[in-house]
Amino acid sequence: MSEIKLMKGNEALAEAAIRAGLQGYFGYPITPQSEVMEYLALEEPKHNYVLLQAESEVAAVNMMYGAGGAGARVMTTTSSPGFSLMQEGISYIACAQIPCLFANIVRGGPGLGTIQSSQSDYFQATKGGGHGDYHLIVLAPNSVQEMVDHVYLGFKLADKYRSPAMLLSDGAIGQMMEKVQLPSPIEYKPDKPWATVGKKSGQERNYLTSLYIQPEEMEEKNIELQAKFKKIEENEVRFEEYKTNDAEIIIVSFGLSSRISKKSVDMAREAGLKVGLFRPITVWPFPANKIADIAARKQVKFFISVEMNAGQMLEDVKLAVNGKKPVYFYGRMGGIIPTPKEILTAVQERSRS
Amino acid sequence: MKEGYKLIYQKPKTLRKKRMHYCPGCFHATTHKLTMEVVEELGIQEKTIGVCPVGCSVFAYDYMDVDMQEAAHGRAAAVATGIKRMHPDKIVFSYQGDGDLAAIGTAETIHACNRGENFTFIFINNGIYGMTGGQMAPTTLEGQKTTTSPYGRDPKKVGLPLKMCEIVSQFDAVAYVERVSCNTPANARKAKRAIKKAFEYQIQGLGTTFIEVASNCPSGWKCTPEESLEWLKEKVFPYYPLGIFKNPEEK
């Protein structure tokens, strides 16, 4: 049964995972996302999932590899420094093609950084993060409701493509409270003939590996993975447009900063500026084709990428626009959240120049 | 079978028909065989899931005919934890070398043991990094020469070799710890008995079971297989004595 509640982003994420048929959670505490494991620990007696606090993020991601490889619906959540520690394991998971869900509740870096909200892990999330050629399916929620919806979607896409998926969220969305509609719980019945659950008599054993020592075999594996990524790019691009139809200025923004930019669009419209917002929901696969279409529109004068980092998605926007229109940037770093007014001022300055 | 011949030995059906890549005289081949004999004798081939490491036995899944996962270097204990927690009714083992289990994976090993994860460690301790060409391991003996300790291991610089059986037998949740070897037929039989006991204790749900095989590495030690057996007796066993360090009764 679906229900409506007032919930913190991290708790909503945890509740959504339970309802989406979570079977295993392996994690390590780190601010600002520890509420996920705390919520799951409190709820544990009522459900059948396995919850284990690992000795490190390194161990947690490898428990995911084991449990996910053995066919379970598994999730871990962490924040930036912890997600860095998981990269090795994610590379193995991507190659061995184990479906599982990650959430990075991003905080400002580099290094130990700050516990305040940031979007400075965009490169790490969308460009692979670990060694080798691979991608995760990356969803960027901008509300507590989407923390819930993207857990369902992330699990679904992970299974569909035998691929790791992730939520690229941030500390503010993790900590803020909003009204959410929680969907009905689903009964999860995995169909994973490749899983290591014990060799069936008369059949070949299952084994999961990322080792292909002969370069010809490794290239073959890479071709297989790239074909999968291409399929994901063709089928799974998601985005939201706000007042872009007649817009002369396009703000491109994801996650929390897109939420703020929406307000800036309204303020700009009141001031007589035709501004629209283009918001990638999947930051990988990136909605490059759609941005290219918008760039081709006559009335569009320029793009401005608004992010809480030093300009990371900016590179993808520039590639998509491909020189057809100018692409500018406005951002704050280190855990500072820009105000709608600040963004509006940046847009106005560019439109005057 | 030709008339007049009697079958007295055959390799277990749980070993795949695949030529092993191990060097002549290496105990990996023996330990693979013993482990798979145990799986066959216990009739658990369809319930067993193995985890192989990074090291010489990285290809163990090519030889062992059970479901397997290949782990990142040092992470086999975490991977095995994930599998066993999801499938407590299955028999799970990790098969790891000394660099894997006692250097890069020490944290995962110690914590899995402390939690009493109900799977079996099969730990091949040959005192050297075999696959990468003979570098110093956490278990390289004092004074032993390797490519990264060309003048012999100096404890003042890098400490003394780690004694994993002695360490993990301290944990309450660890059920059974034994160090065995395969240097003689009698010891190989003892090793097999130990692996079998470990699997049986796991089936009974007694907690972590840990079998260390004091092994050789003729290629890395730069000696003949025969000389490697001498080195085991003269140098390895005095520092790494064979025997049971913990029995379930003592829990």
Side-chain angles (χ1 to χ4, degrees):
Chain A
M1 199 181 62
S2 81
E3 56 183 314
I4 293 171
K5 276 190 169 180
L6 180 68
M7 290 186 97
K8 213 177 191 183
N10 286 334
E11 292 173 350
L13 186 160
E15 176 61 32
I18 297 172
R19 288 169 179 250
L22 179 75
Q23 293 174 313
Y25 177 94
F26 305 91
Y28 188 83
I30 182 169
T31 308
Q33 64 76 51
S34 299
E35 295 87 355
V36 179
M37 190 165 23
E38 288 168 352
Y39 187 93
L40 291 171
L42 266 177
E43 293 293 309
E44 191 184 6
K46 291 187 233 161
H47 303 278
N48 284 323
Y49 54 81
V50 166
L51 172 80
L52 188 60
Q53 180 170 333
E55 59 270 31
S56 66
E57 286 90 349
V58 176
V61 70
N62 284 285
M63 290 170 184
M64 296 267 286
Y65 179 98
R73 177 160 270 189
V74 291
M75 179 178 85
T76 190
T77 58
T78 185
S79 183
S80 308
F83 197 54
S84 290
L85 280 173
M86 290 183 180
Q87 293 308 320
E88 178 203 38
I90 297 174
S91 173
Y92 282 69
I93 282 171
C95 190
Q97 303 195 73
I98 296 170
C100 50
L101 185 63
F102 294 84
N104 182 359
I105 313 299
V106 179
R107 57 190 250 184
L112 195 51
T114 166
I115 59 171
Q116 299 302 323
S117 178
S118 174
Q119 297 182 321
S120 48
D121 297 351
Y122 177 92
F123 281 151
Q124 187 188 43
T126 58
K127 309 298 174 193
H131 58 284
D133 276 320
Y134 72 91
H135 285 285
L136 285 81
I137 300 166
V138 189
L139 304 163
N142 79 350
S143 65
V144 175
Q145 183 63 53
E146 281 193 343
M147 291 285 261
V148 171
D149 300 343
H150 288 182
V151 166
Y152 271 66
L153 180 60
F155 273 137
K156 200 178 95 181
L157 294 176
D159 276 4
K160 183 176 173 188
Y161 294 101
R162 262 192 80 178
S163 174
M166 74 172 285
L167 271 60
L168 181 66
S169 187
D170 67 82
I173 296 169
Q175 295 298 325
M176 71 161 91
M177 288 184 91
E178 284 188 301
K179 188 180 85 172
V180 276
Q181 179 155 20
L182 296 163
S184 308
I186 57 172
E187 205 183 318
Y188 181 58
K189 287 191 184 134
D191 175 29
K192 297 172 179 172
W194 47 264
T196 59
V197 292
K199 177 181 152 49
K200 300 204 177 44
S201 108
Q203 288 182 20
E204 278 290 303
R205 79 214 183 291
N206 283 338
Y207 67 97
L208 296 167
T209 187
S210 58
L211 173 68
Y212 300 88
I213 204 106
Q214 298 300 332
E216 293 80 8
E217 288 175 24
M218 191 71 245
E219 186 177 49
E220 204 49 50
K221 175 52 70 174
N222 269 284
I223 289 168
E224 179 195 331
L225 290 173
Q226 290 303 319
K228 178 172 84 172
F229 297 141
K230 190 159 180 287
K231 219 168 124 192
I232 297 170
E233 282 180 312
E234 283 164 7
N235 298 325
E236 305 302 343
V237 169
R238 285 166 172 81
F239 55 84
E240 182 194 341
E241 289 180 85
Y242 182 64
K243 299 187 179 173
T244 53
N245 276 344
D246 65 338
E248 294 171 358
I249 298 162
I250 306 287
I251 296 177
V252 186
S253 193
F254 72 99
L256 182 69
S257 53
S258 72
R259 187 90 175 260
I260 302 161
S261 295
K262 204 169 189 175
K263 178 82 180 159
S264 309
V265 168
D266 291 340
M267 290 162 73
R269 291 271 170 177
E270 276 170 36
L273 271 179
K274 285 187 175 170
V275 180
L277 169 69
F278 183 86
R279 174 201 165 211
I281 295 173
T282 51
V283 282
W284 196 92
F286 191 72
N289 292 341
K290 187 66 198 179
I291 290 177
D293 288 349
I294 295 172
R297 289 178 195 161
K298 257 191 188 154
Q299 82 272 13
V300 171
K301 289 180 186 154
F302 67 85
F303 289 78
I304 180 163
S305 190
V306 175
E307 307 169 53
M308 284 155 56
N309 57 41
Q312 299 191 11
M313 183 178 68
L314 171 66
E315 294 188 2
D316 287 332
V317 178
K318 279 185 174 172
L319 280 170
V321 171
N322 200 16
K324 278 184 272 194
K325 299 285 160 66
V327 180
Y328 303 116
F329 173 73
Y330 182 75
R332 297 295 301 265
M333 295 175 286
I336 301 288
I337 298 173
T339 64
K341 182 83 203 324
E342 254 181 274
I343 297 167
L344 175 64
T345 306
V347 169
Q348 283 170 329
E349 276 170 12
R350 287 298 177 186
S351 80
R352 273 195 294 271
S353 62
Chain B
M1 186 76 48
K2 270 189 191 166
E3 205 178 317
Y5 285 83
K6 193 176 139 205
L7 182 70
I8 55 163
Y9 175 78
Q10 61 182 341
K11 78 181 180 74
K13 292 190 180 67
T14 43
L15 266 186
R16 300 180 75 235
K17 290 192 183 90
K18 174 115 186 169
R19 189 176 173 159
M20 287 184 181
H21 72 284
Y22 297 117
C23 305
C26 171
F27 289 1
H28 267 307
T30 321
T31 313
H32 278 28
K33 186 192 73 173
L34 299 177
T35 307
M36 287 300 105
E37 281 178 356
V38 167
V39 168
E40 186 175 54
E41 284 168 24
L42 293 174
I44 54 172
Q45 186 181 14
E46 293 177 21
K47 294 179 70 180
T48 301
I49 303 155
V51 181
C52 39
V54 172
C56 286
S57 50
V58 68
F59 286 118
Y61 58 80
D62 270 348
Y63 312 127
M64 301 183 181
D65 199 12
V66 292
D67 277 8
M68 291 198 85
Q69 295 192 19
E70 208 294 303
H73 195 25
R75 317 296 170 223
V79 174
T81 297
I83 299 169
K84 185 72 183 191
R85 291 272 175 154
M86 300 317 303
H87 298 281
D89 56 328
K90 301 280 157 66
I91 293 90
V92 176
F93 70 92
S94 80
Y95 187 104
Q96 302 173 256
D98 38 62
D100 197 85
L101 180 141
I104 196 166
T106 319
E108 285 79 4
T109 305
I110 295 286
H111 283 277
C113 288
N114 188 50
R115 289 190 302 263
E117 296 294 343
N118 190 30
F119 66 82
T120 300
F121 284 91
I122 297 171
F123 168 39
I124 308 296
N125 174 8
N126 61 8
I128 204 158
Y129 283 76
M131 177 165 259
T132 43
Q135 295 82 12
M136 183 177 66
T139 47
T140 295
L141 297 178
E142 183 175 353
Q144 187 179 344
K145 288 177 183 166
T146 70
T147 59
T148 51
S149 60
Y151 310 108
R153 181 186 185 128
D154 178 3
K156 284 197 198 100
K157 199 169 147 193
V158 293
L160 285 163
L162 273 176
K163 297 182 170 188
M164 292 311 294
C165 279
E166 287 82 344
I167 292 171
V168 301
S169 55
Q170 306 302 311
F171 297 117
D172 270 5
V174 170
Y176 174 51
V177 181
E178 183 166 356
R179 185 180 290 126
V180 296
S181 190
C182 299
N183 63 318
T184 63
N187 273 345
R189 279 198 295 275
K190 275 192 200 167
K192 183 177 162 183
R193 271 205 298 277
I195 295 168
K196 196 168 189 175
K197 270 199 281 180
F199 278 31
E200 284 168 343
Y201 293 147
Q202 183 187 153
I203 292 165
Q204 292 166 38
L206 299 185
T208 307
T209 42
F210 190 99
I211 306 300
E212 175 176 336
V213 184
S215 292
N216 62 347
C217 181
S219 299
W221 294 356
K222 312 243 182 295
C223 63
T224 65
E226 211 173 351
E227 286 163 351
S228 79
L229 303 183
E230 285 306 309
W231 175 272
L232 274 169
K233 263 196 293 188
E234 283 171 22
K235 308 277 187 181
V236 176
F237 296 161
Y239 190 82
Y240 286 119
L242 306 185
I244 294 172
F245 290 81
K246 191 166 192 187
N247 260 325
E249 299 86 73
E250 294 161 19
K251 262 188 89 177

